[in-house]
Amino acid sequence: MATASIQLHRLASDGDLARAWARSMGVEFPRYTSWEELRDELSRTQGVPELKITDQGGFLLYRAVSSNVSVIVADAEDEERGYRVGNGDVWSLDLWAPFRAS
């Protein structure tokens, strides 16, 4: 497996999915998670790697190259929370395997 993605945006529109995830994985996520809240939590954690920010056209990609983790955040001023995540909410978390040249 090269990458894995936790699509948190799906929790906004599917409460049953969120409950099933919590039961099976033992991890609960709120329906919406704002990047601001996540960034505040990270600021209280030692050793958090530097984040490279890239505009992905309607999304911002915060990538921690040293830990192989990315956070994708909705970046559309007109998006409000509802059936979907809103502007500034975490869309997904991505984990990837480092590339190894053969």
Side-chain angles (χ1 to χ4, degrees):
M1 178 171 67
T3 62
S5 182
I6 301 172
Q7 297 181 1
L8 294 175
H9 65 94
R10 294 185 64 200
L11 299 177
S13 62
D14 193 340
D16 291 337
L17 177 65
R19 287 185 287 283
W21 170 272
R23 277 192 310 277
S24 67
M25 302 301 283
V27 177
E28 289 189 43
F29 285 101
R31 187 172 175 197
Y32 309 101
T33 301
S34 77
W35 169 242
E36 185 176 314
E37 293 167 332
L38 180 56
R39 189 183 61 226
D40 287 348
E41 288 297 322
L42 289 173
S43 73
R44 292 189 277 273
T45 304
Q46 292 184 352
V48 174
E50 181 179 336
L51 299 173
K52 178 183 175 189
I53 304 167
T54 306
D55 186 340
Q56 298 286 309
F59 297 93
L60 293 175
L61 173 70
Y62 293 85
R63 187 171 188 165
V65 176
S66 63
S67 65
N68 302 324
V69 174
S70 294
V71 179
I72 299 173
V73 177
D75 184 40
E77 297 273 336
D78 60 340
E79 286 293 328
E80 295 183 21
R81 285 181 173 176
Y83 183 73
R84 297 173 46 136
V85 297
N87 186 51
D89 285 331
V90 175
W91 182 265
S92 67
L93 304 174
D94 295 336
L95 313 166
W96 71 90
F99 175 75
R100 293 192 193 344
S102 45

Coordinates of all heavy atoms in Angstrom, one line a residue, residues 37-94:
E37 N -9.0 24.4 14.8 CA -9.0 23.6 16.0 C -7.8 22.5 15.9 O -7.2 22.3 16.9 CB -10.3 22.8 16.1 CG -11.5 23.7 16.4 CD -12.8 23.0 16.2 OE1 -12.9 22.0 15.4 OE2 -13.8 23.4 16.9
L38 N -7.6 21.9 14.8 CA -6.6 20.9 14.7 C -5.2 21.6 14.8 O -4.3 21.1 15.5 CB -6.7 20.2 13.4 CG -5.6 19.1 13.1 CD1 -5.6 18.1 14.2 CD2 -5.9 18.5 11.7
R39 N -5.0 22.7 14.2 CA -3.8 23.5 14.2 C -3.5 23.9 15.7 O -2.3 23.8 16.1 CB -3.8 24.7 13.3 CG -2.5 25.4 13.2 CD -2.6 26.6 12.3 NE -3.5 27.5 12.9 CZ -4.4 28.2 12.3 NH1 -4.6 28.1 11.0 NH2 -5.2 29.0 12.9
D40 N -4.5 24.3 16.4 CA -4.3 24.7 17.8 C -3.9 23.5 18.7 O -3.0 23.6 19.5 CB -5.6 25.3 18.4 CG -5.9 26.7 17.9 OD1 -5.1 27.3 17.3 OD2 -7.1 27.1 18.1
E41 N -4.4 22.3 18.4 CA -4.0 21.1 19.1 C -2.6 20.8 18.8 O -1.8 20.4 19.6 CB -4.9 19.9 18.8 CG -6.3 20.0 19.4 CD -6.2 20.0 21.0 OE1 -5.4 19.3 21.5 OE2 -7.0 20.7 21.6
L42 N -2.2 20.9 17.5 CA -0.9 20.6 17.1 C 0.2 21.6 17.7 O 1.3 21.2 18.0 CB -0.7 20.7 15.5 CG -1.4 19.5 14.8 CD1 -1.4 19.8 13.3 CD2 -0.8 18.2 15.1
S43 N -0.2 22.8 17.9 CA 0.7 23.8 18.5 C 1.0 23.5 19.9 O 2.1 23.9 20.4 CB 0.1 25.2 18.4 OG -1.0 25.4 19.3
R44 N 0.2 22.6 20.6 CA 0.5 22.2 21.9 C 1.3 20.9 22.0 O 1.6 20.4 23.1 CB -0.8 22.1 22.7 CG -1.5 23.4 23.0 CD -2.6 23.3 23.9 NE -3.8 22.8 23.3 CZ -4.8 23.6 22.7 NH1 -4.6 24.8 22.7 NH2 -5.8 23.0 22.2
T45 N 1.7 20.4 20.9 CA 2.4 19.1 20.8 C 3.8 19.4 20.4 O 4.1 20.1 19.4 CB 1.7 18.2 19.7 OG1 0.3 18.1 20.1 CG2 2.4 16.9 19.7
Q46 N 4.7 18.7 21.1 CA 6.2 18.9 20.8 C 6.5 18.1 19.6 O 6.0 17.0 19.4 CB 7.0 18.4 22.0 CG 6.9 19.4 23.2 CD 7.8 18.9 24.3 OE1 8.5 17.9 24.2 NE2 7.9 19.8 25.3
G47 N 7.5 18.6 18.8 CA 8.0 17.8 17.7 C 7.2 17.8 16.4 O 7.4 17.0 15.6
V48 N 6.2 18.7 16.4 CA 5.3 18.7 15.1 C 6.2 19.2 14.0 O 6.8 20.2 14.1 CB 4.1 19.6 15.4 CG1 3.3 19.8 14.1 CG2 3.2 19.0 16.4
P49 N 6.2 18.4 12.9 CA 7.0 18.8 11.7 C 6.5 20.1 11.1 O 5.3 20.5 11.2 CB 7.0 17.6 10.8 CG 5.7 16.9 11.2 CD 5.5 17.2 12.6
E50 N 7.4 20.7 10.3 CA 7.0 21.9 9.5 C 6.1 21.5 8.4 O 6.2 20.4 7.8 CB 8.3 22.5 8.9 CG 8.0 23.8 8.1 CD 9.3 24.3 7.5 OE1 10.4 24.1 8.1 OE2 9.2 25.0 6.5
L51 N 5.1 22.3 8.1 CA 4.1 22.0 7.1 C 4.3 22.9 5.9 O 4.5 24.1 6.0 CB 2.7 22.3 7.7 CG 2.2 21.5 8.9 CD1 0.9 22.1 9.4 CD2 2.2 20.1 8.6
K52 N 4.3 22.2 4.7 CA 4.4 22.9 3.5 C 2.9 23.1 3.0 O 2.2 22.1 3.0 CB 5.2 22.1 2.5 CG 5.2 22.7 1.1 CD 6.0 21.8 0.1 CE 5.9 22.4 -1.3 NZ 6.4 21.5 -2.3
I53 N 2.6 24.3 2.6 CA 1.2 24.6 2.2 C 1.1 24.8 0.7 O 1.9 25.5 0.1 CB 0.7 25.9 2.9 CG1 0.8 25.7 4.4 CG2 -0.8 26.2 2.5 CD1 0.6 27.0 5.2
T54 N 0.2 24.1 0.1 CA 0.0 24.2 -1.4 C -1.5 24.4 -1.6 O -2.4 23.7 -1.1 CB 0.4 22.8 -2.0 OG1 1.7 22.5 -1.6 CG2 0.3 22.9 -3.5
D55 N -1.8 25.3 -2.6 CA -3.2 25.6 -3.0 C -3.5 24.5 -4.0 O -2.8 24.3 -5.0 CB -3.3 27.0 -3.6 CG -4.7 27.4 -4.0 OD1 -5.5 26.5 -4.1 OD2 -4.9 28.6 -4.1
Q56 N -4.6 23.8 -3.7 CA -5.1 22.8 -4.6 C -6.4 23.1 -5.3 O -7.2 22.2 -5.7 CB -5.3 21.5 -3.8 CG -4.0 20.9 -3.2 CD -3.1 20.3 -4.2 OE1 -3.5 19.5 -4.9 NE2 -1.9 20.7 -4.2
G57 N -6.7 24.4 -5.5 CA -7.9 24.8 -6.2 C -9.2 24.4 -5.5 O -9.8 23.4 -5.8
G58 N -9.5 25.2 -4.5 CA -10.7 24.9 -3.6 C -10.3 24.1 -2.3 O -11.2 23.9 -1.5
F59 N -9.1 23.8 -2.2 CA -8.5 23.1 -1.1 C -7.1 23.6 -0.8 O -6.4 24.0 -1.7 CB -8.5 21.6 -1.3 CG -9.8 20.9 -1.5 CD1 -10.3 20.7 -2.8 CD2 -10.6 20.5 -0.4 CE1 -11.5 20.2 -3.0 CE2 -11.8 20.0 -0.7 CZ -12.3 19.8 -2.0
L60 N -6.7 23.5 0.5 CA -5.3 23.8 0.8 C -4.8 22.5 1.3 O -5.4 21.8 2.1 CB -5.2 24.8 1.9 CG -5.7 26.2 1.5 CD1 -5.6 27.2 2.7 CD2 -4.8 26.8 0.4
L61 N -3.6 22.1 0.9 CA -2.9 20.9 1.3 C -1.8 21.3 2.3 O -0.9 22.1 1.9 CB -2.3 20.2 0.1 CG -1.4 19.0 0.3 CD1 -2.2 17.9 0.8 CD2 -0.6 18.6 -0.9
Y62 N -1.9 20.8 3.5 CA -0.8 21.0 4.5 C -0.1 19.7 4.6 O -0.6 18.7 5.1 CB -1.5 21.4 5.9 CG -2.2 22.7 5.9 CD1 -3.5 22.8 5.4 CD2 -1.5 23.9 6.3 CE1 -4.1 24.1 5.4 CE2 -2.1 25.1 6.3 CZ -3.4 25.2 5.9 OH -4.1 26.4 5.9
R63 N 1.2 19.8 4.1 CA 1.9 18.5 4.0 C 3.1 18.5 4.9 O 4.0 19.5 4.9 CB 2.4 18.3 2.6 CG 3.0 17.0 2.3 CD 3.2 16.9 0.8 NE 3.7 15.5 0.6 CZ 3.7 14.9 -0.6 NH1 3.3 15.6 -1.7 NH2 4.2 13.7 -0.7
A64 N 3.2 17.5 5.8 CA 4.4 17.3 6.7 C 5.3 16.3 6.0 O 5.1 15.1 6.3 CB 4.0 16.9 8.1
V65 N 6.2 16.7 5.2 CA 7.0 15.7 4.4 C 7.8 14.8 5.4 O 7.9 13.6 5.1 CB 8.0 16.5 3.5 CG1 8.9 15.5 2.8 CG2 7.2 17.3 2.5
S66 N 8.3 15.3 6.5 CA 9.1 14.5 7.4 C 8.3 13.3 8.0 O 8.9 12.4 8.5 CB 9.8 15.3 8.4 OG 8.9 16.0 9.2
S67 N 7.0 13.5 8.1 CA 6.2 12.4 8.8 C 5.3 11.7 7.8 O 4.5 10.9 8.2 CB 5.4 13.0 9.9 OG 4.5 14.0 9.4
N68 N 5.3 12.1 6.5 CA 4.5 11.5 5.5 C 3.0 11.6 5.8 O 2.2 10.7 5.6 CB 4.9 10.0 5.3 CG 6.3 9.8 5.0 OD1 6.9 10.6 4.2 ND2 6.9 8.8 5.5
V69 N 2.6 12.8 6.2 CA 1.2 13.0 6.5 C 0.8 14.3 5.8 O 1.5 15.3 5.8 CB 1.0 13.2 8.0 CG1 -0.5 13.6 8.3 CG2 1.3 11.9 8.8
S70 N -0.5 14.3 5.3 CA -1.0 15.6 4.7 C -2.4 15.8 5.3 O -3.1 14.8 5.6 CB -1.2 15.4 3.2 OG 0.0 15.4 2.5
V71 N -2.8 17.0 5.4 CA -4.1 17.4 5.8 C -4.7 18.3 4.7 O -4.1 19.3 4.3 CB -4.1 18.2 7.2 CG1 -5.6 18.6 7.5 CG2 -3.5 17.4 8.3
I72 N -5.8 17.9 4.2 CA -6.5 18.6 3.1 C -7.7 19.4 3.7 O -8.5 18.8 4.4 CB -6.9 17.7 2.0 CG1 -5.7 17.0 1.4 CG2 -7.7 18.5 0.9 CD1 -6.0 16.0 0.4
V73 N -7.7 20.7 3.5 CA -8.7 21.6 4.1 C -9.5 22.3 3.0 O -8.9 22.8 2.1 CB -7.9 22.6 5.0 CG1 -8.9 23.6 5.6 CG2 -7.1 21.9 6.1
A74 N -10.8 22.3 3.2 CA -11.7 23.0 2.3 C -11.3 24.5 2.3 O -11.2 25.1 3.4 CB -13.1 22.8 2.7
D75 N -11.2 25.1 1.1 CA -10.8 26.5 1.0 C -11.7 27.2 0.0 O -11.3 27.5 -1.1 CB -9.3 26.6 0.6 CG -8.9 28.1 0.5 OD1 -9.2 28.9 1.4 OD2 -8.1 28.4 -0.4
A76 N -13.0 27.3 0.3 CA -13.9 27.9 -0.6 C -14.8 28.8 0.3 O -15.6 28.3 1.1 CB -14.8 26.9 -1.3
E77 N -14.6 30.1 0.1 CA -15.3 31.1 1.0 C -16.8 30.9 1.0 O -17.5 31.2 2.0 CB -15.0 32.5 0.5 CG -13.6 32.9 0.6 CD -13.2 33.5 1.9 OE1 -14.1 34.0 2.6 OE2 -12.0 33.4 2.3
D78 N -17.4 30.4 0.0 CA -18.9 30.3 -0.1 C -19.4 28.9 0.5 O -20.6 28.7 0.5 CB -19.4 30.5 -1.5 CG -18.8 29.4 -2.5 OD1 -17.8 28.8 -2.2 OD2 -19.4 29.3 -3.6
E79 N -18.5 28.0 0.9 CA -18.9 26.8 1.4 C -19.3 26.9 2.9 O -18.4 27.3 3.7 CB -17.8 25.7 1.3 CG -17.7 25.2 -0.1 CD -18.9 24.4 -0.6 OE1 -19.6 23.7 0.2 OE2 -19.2 24.5 -1.8
E80 N -20.5 26.6 3.3 CA -20.9 26.6 4.7 C -21.2 25.2 5.2 O -21.5 24.3 4.4 CB -22.2 27.4 4.8 CG -22.0 28.9 4.5 CD -23.3 29.7 4.7 OE1 -24.2 29.2 5.5 OE2 -23.4 30.7 4.2
R81 N -21.0 25.0 6.5 CA -21.2 23.7 7.0 C -22.7 23.3 6.8 O -23.6 24.1 6.9 CB -20.9 23.6 8.5 CG -19.5 23.6 8.8 CD -19.2 23.6 10.3 NE -17.8 23.3 10.6 CZ -17.3 23.3 11.8 NH1 -18.1 23.5 12.8 NH2 -16.0 23.1 12.0
G82 N -22.9 22.1 6.6 CA -24.3 21.5 6.4 C -24.2 20.1 6.0 O -23.6 19.3 6.7
Y83 N -24.7 19.7 4.8 CA -24.6 18.4 4.3 C -23.1 18.1 4.0 O -22.7 16.9 4.0 CB -25.4 18.2 3.0 CG -25.4 16.8 2.5 CD1 -26.1 15.8 3.1 CD2 -24.7 16.5 1.3 CE1 -26.1 14.5 2.6 CE2 -24.7 15.2 0.8 CZ -25.4 14.2 1.5 OH -25.4 13.0 1.0
R84 N -22.3 19.1 3.7 CA -20.9 19.0 3.5 C -20.1 19.8 4.5 O -20.7 20.6 5.2 CB -20.6 19.5 2.1 CG -21.2 18.7 1.0 CD -21.0 19.4 -0.4 NE -19.6 19.8 -0.6 CZ -18.9 19.6 -1.7 NH1 -19.5 19.0 -2.7 NH2 -17.7 20.0 -1.8
V85 N -18.8 19.6 4.5 CA -18.0 20.4 5.4 C -17.9 21.8 4.8 O -18.2 22.0 3.6 CB -16.5 19.8 5.5 CG1 -16.5 18.5 6.2 CG2 -15.8 19.8 4.2
G86 N -17.6 22.8 5.7 CA -17.5 24.2 5.2 C -16.1 24.7 5.1 O -15.1 23.9 5.3
N87 N -16.0 25.9 4.7 CA -14.7 26.6 4.5 C -13.9 26.5 5.8 O -14.4 26.8 6.8 CB -14.9 28.0 4.1 CG -13.6 28.7 3.7 OD1 -12.9 28.2 2.9 ND2 -13.4 29.8 4.4
G88 N -12.7 26.0 5.6 CA -11.8 25.9 6.8 C -11.9 24.6 7.5 O -11.1 24.3 8.5
D89 N -12.8 23.7 7.1 CA -12.9 22.4 7.7 C -11.9 21.4 7.1 O -11.6 21.4 5.9 CB -14.3 21.8 7.6 CG -15.3 22.5 8.5 OD1 -14.8 23.0 9.6 OD2 -16.5 22.6 8.2
V90 N -11.5 20.4 7.9 CA -10.6 19.3 7.4 C -11.4 18.4 6.4 O -12.5 18.0 6.8 CB -10.0 18.5 8.5 CG1 -9.2 17.3 8.0 CG2 -9.2 19.4 9.4
W91 N -11.0 18.2 5.2 CA -11.6 17.4 4.2 C -11.1 15.9 4.4 O -11.9 15.0 4.4 CB -11.2 17.9 2.8 CG -11.8 17.1 1.7 CD1 -11.3 16.1 1.0 CD2 -13.1 17.3 1.2 NE1 -12.1 15.7 0.0 CE2 -13.3 16.4 0.1 CE3 -14.2 18.2 1.4 CZ2 -14.5 16.3 -0.6 CZ3 -15.4 18.1 0.7 CH2 -15.5 17.1 -0.3
S92 N -9.8 15.8 4.5 CA -9.2 14.4 4.7 C -7.8 14.5 5.3 O -7.2 15.5 5.3 CB -9.2 13.7 3.4 OG -8.3 14.2 2.5
L93 N -7.4 13.3 5.8 CA -6.1 13.1 6.3 C -5.5 12.0 5.4 O -6.1 11.0 5.2 CB -6.0 12.6 7.7 CG -6.7 13.5 8.8 CD1 -6.8 12.8 10.1 CD2 -6.1 14.8 8.9
D94 N -4.3 12.3 4.9 CA -3.6 11.3 4.0 C -2.3 10.9 4.6 O -1.5 11.7 5.1 CB -3.4 11.9 2.6 CG -4.6 12.2 1.9 OD1 -5.7 11.6 2.2 OD2 -4.6 13.1 1.0

